[in-house]
């Protein structure tokens, strides 16, 4: 293989978090450089020695993941996060909380020297698709710890006695070496509460979990995520060092997400981005991402510009939205070059109504506005 091919392969392995494979390839490349380039021999050998001892991500990168005793399937997924699918947009309060958790971990030794513990447990609550799992991944990247994810909804579906053992095994595994353990869909445990036959086992399980929150090692983090926080016992809430509430994104956060997903190189007119923001106002980041990726895909497959597909999406969606959003979309389409007559025809809104919503137009009266809602 040429050095160029090796570099491409190395980039892929690194981004996929395959540390062991990237190190093996790096070793091979360094050996061949030390043989072929005498002037780099000493330096390459020095890096090879470092490679033997240094840890790319702190903590467990190679110890085997525990498996279910019957199915032999791995109980948790383990990722070394180097890259995220999108750079997250945090609400200011969430951002401040996350930043202070990172800081406490990076400067942990200073806190410990003063007899203070860093944050060890976090509870993330909020509706679906607003960044709870993403925040756990972001923290893993920032603190440079491996992320172990246990989907409680998936493990709870199996026989509860075995589930209890599996959860204990995962907790032991995560506590042994620095890592972030994400207990996703945490409320799945609470949902089993009504099954009387299992109450004893469930109580034991909750006790184990509560104890492990208290005893979590300083160098790691335990994160529980839930979109049904009301199902959680107040005693459970109190055990976490911090509770972070993830709100639905604001309109301006949605605009920012749209811009990041479509990228600046696509030259989409701002009026269209604003119309998309109106359309998705009130939706989750996950829904915005899904829709935007759909548009990107169709523009690639149809060999059209992204703007063309965004206009098509706006026209299709405008039929099913309330009058005010419809008028906003109509205005954006006119601004992007379509005639008022065409827009009025395709969207099914009168030209008079469009004019009323024009910036600077006299305020729309409640009657006309209310009718379309
Ligand atoms: N704050 C954010 N900034 C940018 N994109 C986001 C943000 N939050 C979520 N997304 C997008 O939505 C996707 C889903 O987010 P995530 O998995 O974090 O949701 P969640 O809150 O864990 O939802 P659920 O409760 O369904 O598990 C992410 O992969 C990301 O693309
Ligand atoms: Mg999630």
């Amino acid at each position: 293989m040429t050095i160029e091919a090796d570099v491409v392969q190395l980039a892929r392995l690194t981004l996929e978090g395959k540390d062991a494979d990237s190190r093996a390839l790096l070793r091979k490349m360094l050996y061949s450089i030390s043989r072929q380039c005498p002037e780099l021999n000493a330096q390459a050998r020095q890096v090879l020695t470092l490679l033997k001892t240094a840890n790319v991500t702190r903590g467990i990168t190679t110890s085997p993941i525990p498996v279910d005793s019957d199915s032999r399937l791995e109980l948790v997924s383990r990722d070394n996060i180097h890259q995220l699918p999108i750079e997250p947009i945090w609400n200011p309060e969430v951002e401040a909380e996350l930043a202070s958790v990172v800081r406490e971990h990076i400067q942990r030794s200073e806190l410990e020297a003063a007899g203070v513990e860093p944050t060890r447990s976090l509870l993330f609550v909020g509706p679906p698709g607003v960044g709870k799992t993403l925040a756990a991944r972001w923290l893993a990247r920032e603190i440079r710890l491996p992320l172990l994810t246990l989907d409680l909804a998936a493990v709870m579906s199996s026989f509860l006695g075995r589930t209890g053992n599996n959860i204990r095994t995962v907790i032991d595994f995560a506590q042994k070496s620095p890592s972030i353990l994400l207990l996703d869909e945490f409320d799945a445990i609470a949902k089993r509460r009504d099954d009387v036959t299992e109450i004893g086992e469930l109580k034991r399980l909750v006790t184990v979990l509560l104890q492990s929150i208290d005893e979590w090692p300083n160098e790691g983090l335990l994160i529980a995520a839930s979109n049904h926080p009301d199902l959680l016992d107040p005693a459970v809430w109190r055990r976490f060092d911090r509770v972070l509430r993830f709100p639905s994104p604001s309109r301006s956060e949605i605009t920012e997400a749209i811009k990041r997903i479509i990228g600046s190189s696509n030259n989409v007119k701002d009026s269209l981005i604003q119309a998309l923001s109106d359309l998705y106002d009130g939706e989750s980041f996950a829904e915005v991402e899904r829709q935007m990726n759909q548009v990107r895909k169709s523009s690639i497959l149809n060999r059209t510009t992204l703007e063309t597909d965004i206009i098509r999406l706006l026209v299709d969606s405008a039929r099913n939205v309330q009058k005010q959003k419809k008028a906003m979309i109509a205005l954006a389409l006119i601004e992007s070059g379509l005639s008022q007559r065409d827009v009025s025809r395709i969207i099914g809104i009168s030209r008079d109504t469009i004019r009323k919503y024009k910036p600077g137009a006299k305020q729309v009266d409640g009657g006309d506005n209310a009718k379309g809602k």
Side-chain angles (χ1 to χ4, degrees):
M1 252 206 293
T2 61
I3 185 89
E4 287 86 353
D6 276 344
V7 170
V8 172
Q9 169 78 344
L10 181 64
R12 194 173 60 78
L13 292 172
T14 311
L15 293 178
E16 286 171 0
K18 295 185 175 157
D19 285 344
D21 293 342
S22 345
R23 281 153 174 256
L25 180 57
L26 261 178
R27 240 187 325 268
K28 193 197 96 183
M29 291 166 72
L30 287 163
Y31 272 125
S32 91
I33 289 172
S34 70
R35 273 197 309 272
Q36 289 163 20
C37 316
E39 70 281 12
L40 287 174
N41 182 298
Q43 278 179 50
R45 298 221 154 255
Q46 199 181 9
V47 181
L48 271 165
T49 319
L50 281 176
L51 200 60
K52 277 194 196 128
T53 49
N55 226 347
V56 177
T57 301
R58 297 184 293 132
I60 30 172
T61 47
T62 48
S63 44
I65 290 178
V67 293
D68 179 87
S69 51
D70 286 354
S71 67
R72 313 304 300 163
L73 292 173
E74 291 186 346
L75 291 171
V76 274
S77 69
R78 175 173 57 198
D79 299 290
N80 293 318
I81 317 261
H82 301 290
Q83 217 190 25
L84 297 171
I86 181 169
E87 212 34 57
I89 299 149
W90 300 128
N91 144 288
E93 281 101 65
V94 169
E95 182 166 37
E97 292 272 342
L98 291 174
S100 65
V101 173
V102 172
R103 190 149 181 235
E104 286 176 23
H105 275 265
I106 297 208
Q107 293 175 247
R108 177 165 57 89
S109 49
E110 289 168 53
L111 292 180
E112 285 170 350
V116 189
E117 286 176 346
T119 299
R120 294 169 302 137
S121 58
L122 294 160
L123 174 61
F124 289 174
V125 296
V130 296
K132 300 183 297 298
T133 303
L134 189 65
R137 293 172 63 80
W138 185 87
L139 281 173
R141 187 191 66 182
E142 297 297 306
I143 307 178
R144 290 199 299 119
L145 282 176
L147 178 68
L148 304 171
T149 307
L150 174 66
D151 183 349
L152 282 169
V155 283
M156 290 303 286
S157 56
S158 60
F159 178 60
L160 197 55
R162 207 168 97 205
T163 304
N165 287 340
N166 282 345
I167 295 178
R168 279 178 211 115
T169 310
V170 168
I171 288 175
D172 283 349
F173 176 71
Q175 287 184 335
K176 265 189 206 129
S177 186
S179 59
I180 295 183
L181 175 62
L182 169 63
L183 301 176
D184 224 349
E185 312 248 5
F186 191 58
D187 43 85
I189 293 187
K191 279 191 194 145
R192 289 284 283 262
R193 221 175 9 201
D194 349 325
D195 195 335
V196 218
T197 54
E198 295 178 322
I199 277 199
E201 178 57 35
L202 202 57
K203 270 196 180 149
R204 276 192 289 282
L205 183 54
V206 172
T207 313
V208 168
L209 275 171
L210 293 184
Q211 246 167 23
S212 52
I213 302 175
D214 292 341
E215 295 161 0
W216 208 259
N218 278 2
E219 62 273 25
L221 262 181
L222 173 71
I223 303 177
S226 164
N227 42 40
H228 298 288
D230 41 308
L231 291 177
L232 301 175
D233 207 309
V236 174
W237 284 74
R238 279 199 299 274
R239 294 300 249 276
F240 287 91
D241 290 342
R242 288 175 192 251
V243 177
L244 265 71
R245 289 166 206 275
F246 288 71
S248 292
S250 65
R251 189 186 176 288
S252 62
E253 286 163 356
I254 286 186
T255 308
E256 185 55 36
I258 294 172
K259 285 185 181 164
R260 286 190 195 180
I261 298 166
I262 63 182
S264 52
S265 57
N266 277 302
N267 287 328
V268 174
K269 285 196 190 72
D270 195 54
S271 58
L272 294 177
I273 292 177
Q274 295 309 325
L276 288 171
S277 311
D278 282 327
L279 183 63
Y280 297 128
D281 196 4
E283 300 281 354
S284 66
F285 280 121
E287 179 60 15
V288 172
E289 188 192 35
R290 197 178 65 81
Q291 298 276 354
M292 288 301 96
N293 282 339
Q294 206 60 43
V295 173
R296 283 171 68 197
K297 262 188 275 179
S298 59
S299 98
I300 295 168
L301 297 177
N302 300 332
R303 297 193 178 83
T304 42
T305 63
L306 199 58
E307 270 205 1
T308 312
D309 286 83
I310 289 178
I311 291 177
R312 193 171 298 148
L313 168 83
L314 286 169
V315 168
D316 288 346
S317 318
R319 297 198 185 99
N320 309 316
V321 298
Q322 42 137 303
K323 201 172 206 169
Q324 186 173 357
K325 275 193 181 177
K326 207 178 249 199
M328 297 296 183
I329 293 173
L331 282 171
L333 294 175
I334 293 166
E335 222 173 286
S336 75
L338 270 69
S339 78
Q340 224 181 75
R341 181 192 297 263
D342 284 347
V343 170
S344 152
R345 183 176 46 80
I346 12 185
I347 293 196
I349 183 170
S350 79
R351 287 157 77 184
D352 275 352
T353 310
I354 299 177
R355 269 186 227 115
K356 279 186 203 162
Y357 284 93
K358 247 191 174 153
K362 252 181 75 193
Q363 203 45 53
V364 194
D365 66 89
D368 187 27
N369 202 359
K371 256 189 279 166
K373 287 192 176 178

